[in-house]
Amino acid sequence: MRRVLPYLSVLLLCLTAIGPARAQAEVERFAPGQYRWLGQGPWGGPIYMVISIEKQMIHVYSGDRLIGLASVSTGMKGHRTPTGDYPILQKRQWHRSNLYSNAPMPYMQRLTWTGIALHAGHNPGYPASHGCIRLPYAFARDLFALTKIGTLVEVTQARLTAALKLDPLVLSDPGSAVVSFAPGKGPPLRLPPPEPEDAGEGVPMLTIDPAVFGAWGR
């Protein structure tokens, strides 16, 4: 029987939610401090977000659907925001910086243990933080209510569209399929069967220590 993997076992980041033309139009007319939600929910798919340093924008997705956009302010020269994939590690509604003069960081969502986080803050339309990603205050509040520990965040140099990435365990399972995050999108993407493995030397084997298990383990 074919098994369809749960959403989060397949998804690190998923397929593009809307056409590039619409997304670009949204970016072009966004001013510093501006944000927009494209509906009221509840949302059916897993929540994740993509942040572009070049565009100073964040896109929030639910499954394959773009649901929110906002301007951001990332790290200034000498305090660049690092790119990469991050799960939210910690959430605090009222937080103060441990590194920079006890500065307030409302609706803080931590991405690294070295001081990078999402939070509400000054949003001038250009990189101005010490590495954190500042969000418009009302947007940060709404996003804080929407996410949870483990919600995925991708920080990119330029891209705002989402990208599909598969865990190696998914690729090695011939009975798996990539789920579709919205109805009517066509059949699931089939994964190729795994390459055959040699059964000779080099395959790890489980052994039982008789000193631990005695006669029972023999």
PDB file of all heavy atoms in Angstrom, residues 112-141:
ATOM      1  N   THR A 112      18.654  31.660  16.036  1.00  0.00           N
ATOM      2  CA  THR A 112      19.937  31.085  16.426  1.00  0.00           C
ATOM      3  C   THR A 112      20.196  31.422  17.880  1.00  0.00           C
ATOM      4  O   THR A 112      19.646  32.392  18.421  1.00  0.00           O
ATOM      5  CB  THR A 112      21.110  31.638  15.578  1.00  0.00           C
ATOM      6  OG1 THR A 112      21.429  32.967  16.015  1.00  0.00           O
ATOM      7  CG2 THR A 112      20.784  31.655  14.098  1.00  0.00           C
ATOM      8  N   TRP A 113      21.093  30.651  18.507  1.00  0.00           N
ATOM      9  CA  TRP A 113      21.470  30.925  19.897  1.00  0.00           C
ATOM     10  C   TRP A 113      22.592  31.952  19.975  1.00  0.00           C
ATOM     11  O   TRP A 113      23.110  32.226  21.053  1.00  0.00           O
ATOM     12  CB  TRP A 113      21.868  29.629  20.608  1.00  0.00           C
ATOM     13  CG  TRP A 113      20.732  28.673  20.754  1.00  0.00           C
ATOM     14  CD1 TRP A 113      20.587  27.460  20.152  1.00  0.00           C
ATOM     15  CD2 TRP A 113      19.550  28.856  21.542  1.00  0.00           C
ATOM     16  NE1 TRP A 113      19.390  26.870  20.513  1.00  0.00           N
ATOM     17  CE2 TRP A 113      18.736  27.712  21.369  1.00  0.00           C
ATOM     18  CE3 TRP A 113      19.090  29.883  22.379  1.00  0.00           C
ATOM     19  CZ2 TRP A 113      17.502  27.554  21.991  1.00  0.00           C
ATOM     20  CZ3 TRP A 113      17.857  29.729  23.006  1.00  0.00           C
ATOM     21  CH2 TRP A 113      17.075  28.584  22.814  1.00  0.00           C
ATOM     22  N   THR A 114      22.965  32.523  18.830  1.00  0.00           N
ATOM     23  CA  THR A 114      24.007  33.553  18.812  1.00  0.00           C
ATOM     24  C   THR A 114      23.435  34.949  18.572  1.00  0.00           C
ATOM     25  O   THR A 114      24.174  35.869  18.242  1.00  0.00           O
ATOM     26  CB  THR A 114      25.061  33.239  17.728  1.00  0.00           C
ATOM     27  OG1 THR A 114      24.411  33.090  16.457  1.00  0.00           O
ATOM     28  CG2 THR A 114      25.818  31.963  18.070  1.00  0.00           C
ATOM     29  N   GLY A 115      22.129  35.096  18.712  1.00  0.00           N
ATOM     30  CA  GLY A 115      21.560  36.442  18.716  1.00  0.00           C
ATOM     31  C   GLY A 115      20.719  36.835  17.528  1.00  0.00           C
ATOM     32  O   GLY A 115      20.316  38.006  17.422  1.00  0.00           O
ATOM     33  N   ILE A 116      20.410  35.920  16.602  1.00  0.00           N
ATOM     34  CA  ILE A 116      19.581  36.256  15.439  1.00  0.00           C
ATOM     35  C   ILE A 116      18.142  35.865  15.721  1.00  0.00           C
ATOM     36  O   ILE A 116      17.865  34.738  16.120  1.00  0.00           O
ATOM     37  CB  ILE A 116      20.078  35.545  14.173  1.00  0.00           C
ATOM     38  CG1 ILE A 116      21.568  35.818  13.946  1.00  0.00           C
ATOM     39  CG2 ILE A 116      19.261  35.975  12.957  1.00  0.00           C
ATOM     40  CD1 ILE A 116      21.922  37.278  13.805  1.00  0.00           C
ATOM     41  N   ALA A 117      17.226  36.819  15.510  1.00  0.00           N
ATOM     42  CA  ALA A 117      15.813  36.567  15.807  1.00  0.00           C
ATOM     43  C   ALA A 117      14.924  37.438  14.934  1.00  0.00           C
ATOM     44  O   ALA A 117      15.358  38.457  14.380  1.00  0.00           O
ATOM     45  CB  ALA A 117      15.527  36.853  17.280  1.00  0.00           C
ATOM     46  N   LEU A 118      13.674  37.037  14.820  1.00  0.00           N
ATOM     47  CA  LEU A 118      12.611  37.890  14.291  1.00  0.00           C
ATOM     48  C   LEU A 118      12.021  38.667  15.455  1.00  0.00           C
ATOM     49  O   LEU A 118      11.794  38.099  16.523  1.00  0.00           O
ATOM     50  CB  LEU A 118      11.505  37.049  13.653  1.00  0.00           C
ATOM     51  CG  LEU A 118      11.851  36.104  12.500  1.00  0.00           C
ATOM     52  CD1 LEU A 118      10.751  35.057  12.355  1.00  0.00           C
ATOM     53  CD2 LEU A 118      11.999  36.881  11.220  1.00  0.00           C
ATOM     54  N   HIS A 119      11.726  39.950  15.268  1.00  0.00           N
ATOM     55  CA  HIS A 119      11.019  40.695  16.316  1.00  0.00           C
ATOM     56  C   HIS A 119      10.503  42.010  15.753  1.00  0.00           C
ATOM     57  O   HIS A 119      10.949  42.486  14.697  1.00  0.00           O
ATOM     58  CB  HIS A 119      11.935  40.954  17.524  1.00  0.00           C
ATOM     59  CG  HIS A 119      13.107  41.847  17.262  1.00  0.00           C
ATOM     60  ND1 HIS A 119      13.034  43.217  17.316  1.00  0.00           N
ATOM     61  CD2 HIS A 119      14.395  41.563  16.952  1.00  0.00           C
ATOM     62  CE1 HIS A 119      14.217  43.752  17.059  1.00  0.00           C
ATOM     63  NE2 HIS A 119      15.065  42.763  16.825  1.00  0.00           N
ATOM     64  N   ALA A 120       9.576  42.625  16.451  1.00  0.00           N
ATOM     65  CA  ALA A 120       9.071  43.943  16.065  1.00  0.00           C
ATOM     66  C   ALA A 120      10.145  44.985  16.322  1.00  0.00           C
ATOM     67  O   ALA A 120      10.871  44.915  17.321  1.00  0.00           O
ATOM     68  CB  ALA A 120       7.817  44.268  16.864  1.00  0.00           C
ATOM     69  N   GLY A 121      10.255  45.958  15.404  1.00  0.00           N
ATOM     70  CA  GLY A 121      11.268  46.986  15.587  1.00  0.00           C
ATOM     71  C   GLY A 121      11.245  48.016  14.477  1.00  0.00           C
ATOM     72  O   GLY A 121      10.420  47.951  13.553  1.00  0.00           O
ATOM     73  N   HIS A 122      12.164  48.962  14.556  1.00  0.00           N
ATOM     74  CA  HIS A 122      12.257  50.056  13.585  1.00  0.00           C
ATOM     75  C   HIS A 122      12.462  49.495  12.189  1.00  0.00           C
ATOM     76  O   HIS A 122      13.324  48.654  11.968  1.00  0.00           O
ATOM     77  CB  HIS A 122      13.417  50.979  13.963  1.00  0.00           C
ATOM     78  CG  HIS A 122      13.582  52.154  13.050  1.00  0.00           C
ATOM     79  ND1 HIS A 122      12.532  52.971  12.681  1.00  0.00           N
ATOM     80  CD2 HIS A 122      14.683  52.649  12.407  1.00  0.00           C
ATOM     81  CE1 HIS A 122      12.960  53.914  11.879  1.00  0.00           C
ATOM     82  NE2 HIS A 122      14.263  53.742  11.692  1.00  0.00           N
ATOM     83  N   ASN A 123      11.670  49.977  11.242  1.00  0.00           N
ATOM     84  CA  ASN A 123      11.628  49.409   9.901  1.00  0.00           C
ATOM     85  C   ASN A 123      11.801  50.520   8.866  1.00  0.00           C
ATOM     86  O   ASN A 123      10.847  50.956   8.246  1.00  0.00           O
ATOM     87  CB  ASN A 123      10.281  48.687   9.720  1.00  0.00           C
ATOM     88  CG  ASN A 123      10.288  47.686   8.592  1.00  0.00           C
ATOM     89  OD1 ASN A 123      10.351  48.069   7.441  1.00  0.00           O
ATOM     90  ND2 ASN A 123      10.228  46.407   8.934  1.00  0.00           N
ATOM     91  N   PRO A 124      13.042  50.984   8.648  1.00  0.00           N
ATOM     92  CA  PRO A 124      13.257  52.137   7.765  1.00  0.00           C
ATOM     93  C   PRO A 124      13.274  51.806   6.273  1.00  0.00           C
ATOM     94  O   PRO A 124      13.361  52.720   5.452  1.00  0.00           O
ATOM     95  CB  PRO A 124      14.633  52.638   8.207  1.00  0.00           C
ATOM     96  CG  PRO A 124      15.350  51.407   8.648  1.00  0.00           C
ATOM     97  CD  PRO A 124      14.302  50.527   9.284  1.00  0.00           C
ATOM     98  N   GLY A 125      13.260  50.521   5.909  1.00  0.00           N
ATOM     99  CA  GLY A 125      13.285  50.155   4.497  1.00  0.00           C
ATOM    100  C   GLY A 125      14.654  49.766   3.994  1.00  0.00           C
ATOM    101  O   GLY A 125      14.837  49.538   2.797  1.00  0.00           O
ATOM    102  N   TYR A 126      15.620  49.664   4.887  1.00  0.00           N
ATOM    103  CA  TYR A 126      16.968  49.250   4.516  1.00  0.00           C
ATOM    104  C   TYR A 126      17.592  48.519   5.705  1.00  0.00           C
ATOM    105  O   TYR A 126      17.082  48.613   6.835  1.00  0.00           O
ATOM    106  CB  TYR A 126      17.829  50.461   4.126  1.00  0.00           C
ATOM    107  CG  TYR A 126      17.873  51.558   5.156  1.00  0.00           C
ATOM    108  CD1 TYR A 126      18.758  51.518   6.236  1.00  0.00           C
ATOM    109  CD2 TYR A 126      17.013  52.650   5.052  1.00  0.00           C
ATOM    110  CE1 TYR A 126      18.788  52.526   7.188  1.00  0.00           C
ATOM    111  CE2 TYR A 126      17.035  53.667   5.995  1.00  0.00           C
ATOM    112  CZ  TYR A 126      17.924  53.605   7.057  1.00  0.00           C
ATOM    113  OH  TYR A 126      17.954  54.591   7.995  1.00  0.00           O
ATOM    114  N   PRO A 127      18.687  47.772   5.510  1.00  0.00           N
ATOM    115  CA  PRO A 127      19.312  47.044   6.619  1.00  0.00           C
ATOM    116  C   PRO A 127      19.801  48.000   7.706  1.00  0.00           C
ATOM    117  O   PRO A 127      20.586  48.907   7.438  1.00  0.00           O
ATOM    118  CB  PRO A 127      20.485  46.324   5.938  1.00  0.00           C
ATOM    119  CG  PRO A 127      20.074  46.190   4.510  1.00  0.00           C
ATOM    120  CD  PRO A 127      19.304  47.440   4.205  1.00  0.00           C
ATOM    121  N   ALA A 128      19.333  47.803   8.936  1.00  0.00           N
ATOM    122  CA  ALA A 128      19.677  48.736  10.013  1.00  0.00           C
ATOM    123  C   ALA A 128      19.824  48.060  11.369  1.00  0.00           C
ATOM    124  O   ALA A 128      20.080  48.746  12.358  1.00  0.00           O
ATOM    125  CB  ALA A 128      18.609  49.834  10.101  1.00  0.00           C
ATOM    126  N   SER A 129      19.681  46.734  11.424  1.00  0.00           N
ATOM    127  CA  SER A 129      19.729  46.043  12.710  1.00  0.00           C
ATOM    128  C   SER A 129      21.134  45.525  12.992  1.00  0.00           C
ATOM    129  O   SER A 129      22.050  45.680  12.185  1.00  0.00           O
ATOM    130  CB  SER A 129      18.733  44.879  12.725  1.00  0.00           C
ATOM    131  OG  SER A 129      19.260  43.763  12.022  1.00  0.00           O
ATOM    132  N   HIS A 130      21.299  44.877  14.147  1.00  0.00           N
ATOM    133  CA  HIS A 130      22.563  44.232  14.491  1.00  0.00           C
ATOM    134  C   HIS A 130      22.561  42.755  14.088  1.00  0.00           C
ATOM    135  O   HIS A 130      23.299  41.956  14.654  1.00  0.00           O
ATOM    136  CB  HIS A 130      22.838  44.365  15.991  1.00  0.00           C
ATOM    137  CG  HIS A 130      23.266  45.739  16.401  1.00  0.00           C
ATOM    138  ND1 HIS A 130      22.376  46.663  16.892  1.00  0.00           N
ATOM    139  CD2 HIS A 130      24.489  46.336  16.372  1.00  0.00           C
ATOM    140  CE1 HIS A 130      23.041  47.791  17.166  1.00  0.00           C
ATOM    141  NE2 HIS A 130      24.311  47.620  16.853  1.00  0.00           N
ATOM    142  N   GLY A 131      21.721  42.394  13.140  1.00  0.00           N
ATOM    143  CA  GLY A 131      21.659  41.019  12.649  1.00  0.00           C
ATOM    144  C   GLY A 131      20.265  40.427  12.702  1.00  0.00           C
ATOM    145  O   GLY A 131      19.949  39.501  11.961  1.00  0.00           O
ATOM    146  N   CYS A 132      19.436  40.953  13.593  1.00  0.00           N
ATOM    147  CA  CYS A 132      18.060  40.462  13.684  1.00  0.00           C
ATOM    148  C   CYS A 132      17.236  40.912  12.481  1.00  0.00           C
ATOM    149  O   CYS A 132      17.651  41.770  11.699  1.00  0.00           O
ATOM    150  CB  CYS A 132      17.405  40.950  14.967  1.00  0.00           C
ATOM    151  SG  CYS A 132      17.960  40.092  16.452  1.00  0.00           S
ATOM    152  N   ILE A 133      16.062  40.338  12.350  1.00  0.00           N
ATOM    153  CA  ILE A 133      15.126  40.686  11.285  1.00  0.00           C
ATOM    154  C   ILE A 133      13.976  41.442  11.929  1.00  0.00           C
ATOM    155  O   ILE A 133      13.141  40.854  12.627  1.00  0.00           O
ATOM    156  CB  ILE A 133      14.636  39.429  10.545  1.00  0.00           C
ATOM    157  CG1 ILE A 133      15.829  38.711   9.904  1.00  0.00           C
ATOM    158  CG2 ILE A 133      13.590  39.786   9.494  1.00  0.00           C
ATOM    159  CD1 ILE A 133      15.663  37.232   9.768  1.00  0.00           C
ATOM    160  N   ARG A 134      13.948  42.744  11.744  1.00  0.00           N
ATOM    161  CA  ARG A 134      12.905  43.583  12.329  1.00  0.00           C
ATOM    162  C   ARG A 134      11.659  43.571  11.470  1.00  0.00           C
ATOM    163  O   ARG A 134      11.734  43.679  10.240  1.00  0.00           O
ATOM    164  CB  ARG A 134      13.394  45.017  12.479  1.00  0.00           C
ATOM    165  CG  ARG A 134      14.590  45.206  13.398  1.00  0.00           C
ATOM    166  CD  ARG A 134      14.971  46.662  13.396  1.00  0.00           C
ATOM    167  NE  ARG A 134      16.175  46.957  14.157  1.00  0.00           N
ATOM    168  CZ  ARG A 134      16.808  48.114  14.086  1.00  0.00           C
ATOM    169  NH1 ARG A 134      16.342  49.069  13.270  1.00  0.00           N
ATOM    170  NH2 ARG A 134      17.887  48.333  14.815  1.00  0.00           N
ATOM    171  N   LEU A 135      10.521  43.481  12.105  1.00  0.00           N
ATOM    172  CA  LEU A 135       9.229  43.419  11.435  1.00  0.00           C
ATOM    173  C   LEU A 135       8.348  44.591  11.877  1.00  0.00           C
ATOM    174  O   LEU A 135       8.510  45.092  12.988  1.00  0.00           O
ATOM    175  CB  LEU A 135       8.513  42.110  11.788  1.00  0.00           C
ATOM    176  CG  LEU A 135       9.285  40.803  11.596  1.00  0.00           C
ATOM    177  CD1 LEU A 135       8.529  39.661  12.248  1.00  0.00           C
ATOM    178  CD2 LEU A 135       9.505  40.538  10.122  1.00  0.00           C
ATOM    179  N   PRO A 136       7.380  45.020  11.029  1.00  0.00           N
ATOM    180  CA  PRO A 136       6.388  45.984  11.493  1.00  0.00           C
ATOM    181  C   PRO A 136       5.676  45.443  12.730  1.00  0.00           C
ATOM    182  O   PRO A 136       5.397  44.244  12.821  1.00  0.00           O
ATOM    183  CB  PRO A 136       5.432  46.100  10.305  1.00  0.00           C
ATOM    184  CG  PRO A 136       6.252  45.696   9.115  1.00  0.00           C
ATOM    185  CD  PRO A 136       7.195  44.651   9.615  1.00  0.00           C
ATOM    186  N   TYR A 137       5.378  46.312  13.692  1.00  0.00           N
ATOM    187  CA  TYR A 137       4.908  45.863  15.000  1.00  0.00           C
ATOM    188  C   TYR A 137       3.658  44.990  14.905  1.00  0.00           C
ATOM    189  O   TYR A 137       3.630  43.882  15.472  1.00  0.00           O
ATOM    190  CB  TYR A 137       4.624  47.073  15.894  1.00  0.00           C
ATOM    191  CG  TYR A 137       4.400  46.716  17.341  1.00  0.00           C
ATOM    192  CD1 TYR A 137       5.439  46.746  18.260  1.00  0.00           C
ATOM    193  CD2 TYR A 137       3.138  46.315  17.797  1.00  0.00           C
ATOM    194  CE1 TYR A 137       5.256  46.399  19.580  1.00  0.00           C
ATOM    195  CE2 TYR A 137       2.936  45.962  19.119  1.00  0.00           C
ATOM    196  CZ  TYR A 137       3.993  46.009  20.003  1.00  0.00           C
ATOM    197  OH  TYR A 137       3.792  45.663  21.302  1.00  0.00           O
ATOM    198  N   ALA A 138       2.622  45.467  14.199  1.00  0.00           N
ATOM    199  CA  ALA A 138       1.372  44.699  14.130  1.00  0.00           C
ATOM    200  C   ALA A 138       1.580  43.374  13.397  1.00  0.00           C
ATOM    201  O   ALA A 138       0.984  42.360  13.758  1.00  0.00           O
ATOM    202  CB  ALA A 138       0.278  45.524  13.453  1.00  0.00           C
ATOM    203  N   PHE A 139       2.429  43.377  12.380  1.00  0.00           N
ATOM    204  CA  PHE A 139       2.717  42.142  11.650  1.00  0.00           C
ATOM    205  C   PHE A 139       3.456  41.150  12.543  1.00  0.00           C
ATOM    206  O   PHE A 139       3.160  39.951  12.542  1.00  0.00           O
ATOM    207  CB  PHE A 139       3.546  42.467  10.411  1.00  0.00           C
ATOM    208  CG  PHE A 139       3.856  41.268   9.553  1.00  0.00           C
ATOM    209  CD1 PHE A 139       2.958  40.829   8.601  1.00  0.00           C
ATOM    210  CD2 PHE A 139       5.057  40.584   9.688  1.00  0.00           C
ATOM    211  CE1 PHE A 139       3.237  39.726   7.803  1.00  0.00           C
ATOM    212  CE2 PHE A 139       5.351  39.479   8.904  1.00  0.00           C
ATOM    213  CZ  PHE A 139       4.443  39.050   7.959  1.00  0.00           C
ATOM    214  N   ALA A 140       4.418  41.653  13.330  1.00  0.00           N
ATOM    215  CA  ALA A 140       5.162  40.781  14.246  1.00  0.00           C
ATOM    216  C   ALA A 140       4.229  40.144  15.263  1.00  0.00           C
ATOM    217  O   ALA A 140       4.382  38.967  15.607  1.00  0.00           O
ATOM    218  CB  ALA A 140       6.242  41.587  14.956  1.00  0.00           C
ATOM    219  N   ARG A 141       3.255  40.904  15.735  1.00  0.00           N
ATOM    220  CA  ARG A 141       2.282  40.373  16.692  1.00  0.00           C
ATOM    221  C   ARG A 141       1.445  39.266  16.050  1.00  0.00           C
ATOM    222  O   ARG A 141       1.237  38.197  16.643  1.00  0.00           O
ATOM    223  CB  ARG A 141       1.379  41.509  17.170  1.00  0.00           C
ATOM    224  CG  ARG A 141       0.281  41.092  18.149  1.00  0.00           C
ATOM    225  CD  ARG A 141      -0.722  42.222  18.306  1.00  0.00           C
ATOM    226  NE  ARG A 141      -1.348  42.535  17.031  1.00  0.00           N
ATOM    227  CZ  ARG A 141      -1.801  43.747  16.694  1.00  0.00           C
ATOM    228  NH1 ARG A 141      -1.672  44.774  17.524  1.00  0.00           N
ATOM    229  NH2 ARG A 141      -2.363  43.944  15.525  1.00  0.00           N
TER     230      ARG A 141
END
